[in-house]
């Protein structure tokens, strides 16, 4: 299947089924699509807990949704191969070649992602290396070690540049941290036709800017995109001419919140974190029922997020905090235990109805990545899209590589 065929077919299916996957179950006591597909809703709500967990982790395998939705076709469209790297035999043992001390200050999972990403960064003779949005330059140091060359690392925060430069000098890595806001005018001065620019999980507008400058400079690029919703645009503007044509032809108008679906899949968190998330979700849904009754308005009311560890200790405490945030005066005599139980019950319903959206997470993510690939191809680049690591290490495992033809 060619990139264009996959891109086109994904656009068709995303557009066809957007009434289902764009709808947020937690906002609607009864989903707008339930009257059109009542059997689908009934089947989802009847699923046992163990099946819900299984489908959250593997939405395309033995899915009970296959009778209503094109599960098999979507599974085929999201199947990508792992992109090969330079010297795969060497790459397999490369983790042992990195100095153990270099993992200091890097999360274990992130360090494993860097090790998986490294061999996919192909460097040809005469190319220089630039890391985009480098933080402290952990990837840059690893690239410098692997390719025995100096790497320029761009980062806009002075404190990170200072800390990263000190770390590189202490470890003997040939890395030059440069303070640079990549969104600022003049950021393209670091790129030219002899540059390969590298970015591991550059977010939204940061990687959009990167690809625009890559095309202007004629640089090669190795990119793992992430967080497509982190953009200043309310409505998604496809990168490629083909993407814009497909979106217009099929009525696929993506809002910023829609883009967040593409990155909602996460690796299983520790049990304590899972319990915290479940409780937070149930309490928010309990408050949602309360605020609808108190306000007399049957509409969802967004409540600010709370950082981990800042959640009130009781459901009543959370509701009083949320009501204060939204300027709601709560009446006396609220049945807090009954309302909390209703929140947990509602959470179980939402988890089941969300399975429809889970089925379209990866198709949306790949369509967005293909939009970037096609943009580069339209600019005269040779490009490829695949994966650089297993999903268990990070669901954000897509890798885009391109160079001028």
């Amino acid at each position: 299947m060619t990139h264009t065929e996959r891109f086109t077919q994904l656009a068709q299916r995303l557009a066809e089924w957007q009434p289902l996957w764009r709808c947020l179950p937690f906002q609607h006591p009864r989903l707008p699509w339930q009257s059109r597909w009542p059997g689908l809703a009934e089947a989802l709500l009847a699923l046992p807990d163990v099946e819900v967990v299984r489908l959250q982790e593997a939405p395309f395998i033995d899915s009970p949704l296959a009778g209503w939705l094109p599960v098999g076709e979507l599974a085929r469209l999201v199947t990508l191969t792992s992109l090969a790297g330079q010297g795969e035999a060497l790459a397999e043992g490369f983790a042992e070649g990195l100095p153990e001390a270099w993992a200091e200050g890097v999360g274990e999972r992130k360090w494993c992602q860097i090790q998986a990403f490294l061999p996919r960064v192909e460097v040809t003779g005469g190319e220089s290396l630039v890391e985009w949005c480098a933080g402290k330059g952990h990837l840059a140091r690893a690239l410098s070690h692997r390719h025995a060359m100096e790497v320029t690392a761009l980062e806009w925060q002075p404190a990170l540049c200072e800390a990263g430069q000190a770390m590189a000098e202490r470890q003997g890595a040939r890395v030059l941290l440069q303070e640079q806001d990549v969104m600022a005018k003049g950021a393209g001065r670091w790129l030219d036709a002899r540059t390969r620019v590298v970015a591991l999980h550059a977010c939204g507008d940061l990687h959009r800017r990167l690809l625009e400058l890559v095309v202007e400079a004629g640089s090669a690029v190795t990119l793992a995109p992430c967080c497509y919703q982190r953009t200043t645009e309310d409505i998604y503007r496809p990168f490629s001419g083909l993407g814009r044509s497909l979106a217009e032809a099929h009525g696929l108008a993506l809002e910023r919140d829609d883009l967040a679906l593409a990155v909602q899949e996460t690796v299983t968190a520790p049990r304590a974190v899972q319990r915290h998330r479940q409780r937070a979700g149930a309490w928010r849904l309990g408050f949602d029922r309360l605020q609808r009754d108190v306000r007399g308005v049957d509409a969802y009311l967004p409540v600010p997020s709370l950082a981990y560890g800042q959640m009130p200790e009781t459901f009543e405490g959370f509701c009083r905090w949320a009501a204060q945030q939204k300027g709601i005066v709560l009446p006396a005599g609220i049945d807090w235990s009954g309302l909390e139980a209703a929140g947990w019950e509602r959470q179980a319903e939402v988890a089941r109805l969300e399975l429809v959206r889970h089925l379209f997470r990866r198709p949306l993510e790949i369509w967005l990545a293909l939009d970037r690939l096609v943009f580069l191809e339209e600019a005269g680049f040779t490009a490829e899209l695949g994966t650089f690591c297993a999903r268990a290490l990070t669901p954000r495992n897509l890798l885009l590589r391109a160079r001028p033809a």
Side-chain angles (χ1 to χ4, degrees), residues 51-71:
E51 185 71 351
V52 173
V53 173
R54 185 187 71 80
L55 290 170
Q56 287 172 338
E57 297 177 355
F60 299 105
I61 299 176
D62 297 329
S63 174
L65 306 185
W68 290 273
L69 301 171
V71 177

Side-chain angles (χ1 to χ4, degrees), residues 213-249:
L213 292 177
V214 159
V215 168
E216 290 179 13
S219 304
V221 62
T222 302
L223 165 67
C226 190
C227 299
Y228 307 89
Q229 78 280 11
R230 292 189 178 179
T231 173
T232 59
E233 298 180 341
D234 294 329
I235 303 297
Y236 180 69
R237 176 172 56 90
F239 280 68
S240 63
L242 177 58
R244 291 189 290 274
S245 296
L246 289 171
E248 182 178 356

Side-chain angles (χ1 to χ4, degrees), residues 159-220:
L160 294 183
C161 287
E162 183 178 349
Q165 193 65 56
M167 187 179 299
E169 292 173 1
R170 186 168 64 250
Q171 297 172 349
R174 296 169 59 192
V175 172
L176 184 61
L177 268 292
Q178 296 285 357
E179 186 180 333
Q180 175 66 62
D181 178 356
V182 299
M183 300 300 294
K185 184 178 180 180
R189 66 193 176 95
W190 302 101
L191 279 62
D192 59 34
R194 299 180 302 279
T195 302
R196 174 169 291 275
V197 59
V198 180
L200 175 56
H201 293 153
C203 294
D205 283 344
L206 298 178
H207 74 245
R208 184 177 199 114
R209 174 68 166 157
L210 167 60
L211 294 179
E212 291 169 348
L213 292 177
V214 159
V215 168
E216 290 179 13
S219 304

Side-chain angles (χ1 to χ4, degrees), residues 5-309:
E5 290 171 340
R6 191 188 301 268
F7 191 39
T8 300
Q9 291 176 36
L10 281 170
Q12 292 169 343
R13 293 297 164 259
L14 287 167
E16 178 183 0
W17 295 101
Q18 58 184 330
L20 277 75
W21 64 262
R22 293 183 68 187
C23 185
L24 299 173
F26 66 86
Q27 293 187 359
H28 305 277
R30 179 173 176 81
L31 296 177
W33 57 260
Q34 280 187 248
S35 57
R36 184 176 175 185
W37 291 282
L40 173 58
E42 292 171 3
L44 288 168
L45 293 173
L47 289 173
D49 290 344
V50 65
E51 185 71 351
V52 173
V53 173
R54 185 187 71 80
L55 290 170
Q56 287 172 338
E57 297 177 355
F60 299 105
I61 299 176
D62 297 329
S63 174
L65 306 185
W68 290 273
L69 301 171
V71 177
E73 181 182 5
L74 291 175
R76 175 177 58 83
L77 290 172
V78 301
T79 299
L80 297 174
T81 58
S82 174
L83 291 186
Q86 286 183 326
E88 282 295 337
L90 173 63
E92 290 176 2
F94 183 65
E96 290 75 21
L98 278 174
E100 184 176 343
W102 283 24
E104 178 186 355
V106 189
E108 180 181 358
R109 193 178 296 278
K110 186 65 175 182
W111 190 238
C112 290
Q113 292 170 20
I114 289 174
Q115 292 170 354
F117 188 82
L118 278 176
R120 273 76 187 175
V121 180
E122 299 178 334
V123 180
T124 60
E127 278 188 343
S128 61
L129 278 175
V130 172
E131 185 188 0
W132 194 256
C133 304
K136 293 181 180 180
H138 299 309
L139 174 60
R141 288 183 291 113
L143 285 167
S144 175
H145 179 85
R146 178 175 175 81
H147 294 287
M149 60 187 295
E150 183 175 271
V151 178
T152 300
L154 307 181
E155 170 56 43
W156 74 278
Q157 297 187 66
L160 294 183
C161 287
E162 183 178 349
Q165 193 65 56
M167 187 179 299
E169 292 173 1
R170 186 168 64 250
Q171 297 172 349
R174 296 169 59 192
V175 172
L176 184 61
L177 268 292
Q178 296 285 357
E179 186 180 333
Q180 175 66 62
D181 178 356
V182 299
M183 300 300 294
K185 184 178 180 180
R189 66 193 176 95
W190 302 101
L191 279 62
D192 59 34
R194 299 180 302 279
T195 302
R196 174 169 291 275
V197 59
V198 180
L200 175 56
H201 293 153
C203 294
D205 283 344
L206 298 178
H207 74 245
R208 184 177 199 114
R209 174 68 166 157
L210 167 60
L211 294 179
E212 291 169 348
L213 292 177
V214 159
V215 168
E216 290 179 13
S219 304
V221 62
T222 302
L223 165 67
C226 190
C227 299
Y228 307 89
Q229 78 280 11
R230 292 189 178 179
T231 173
T232 59
E233 298 180 341
D234 294 329
I235 303 297
Y236 180 69
R237 176 172 56 90
F239 280 68
S240 63
L242 177 58
R244 291 189 290 274
S245 296
L246 289 171
E248 182 178 356
H250 298 289
L252 185 61
L254 301 173
E255 299 177 3
R256 186 191 295 115
D257 289 345
D258 295 325
L259 303 182
L261 173 64
V263 295
Q264 281 182 353
E265 182 181 8
T266 59
V267 175
T268 302
R271 191 175 299 276
V273 175
Q274 292 183 57
R275 286 196 297 265
H276 170 79
R277 289 176 180 171
Q278 291 170 352
R279 185 181 67 170
W283 284 8
R284 283 179 174 274
L285 289 168
F287 175 75
D288 182 53
R289 173 172 293 192
L290 173 62
Q291 65 85 14
R292 289 174 194 255
D293 291 341
V294 172
R295 294 168 62 226
V297 179
D298 191 15
Y300 178 74
L301 186 67
V303 174
S305 298
L306 280 170
Y308 186 81

Side-chain angles (χ1 to χ4, degrees), residues 302-304 319-328:
V303 174
C319 287
R320 294 194 180 282
W321 170 83
Q324 183 180 35
Q325 297 298 309
K326 307 307 294 188
I328 298 174

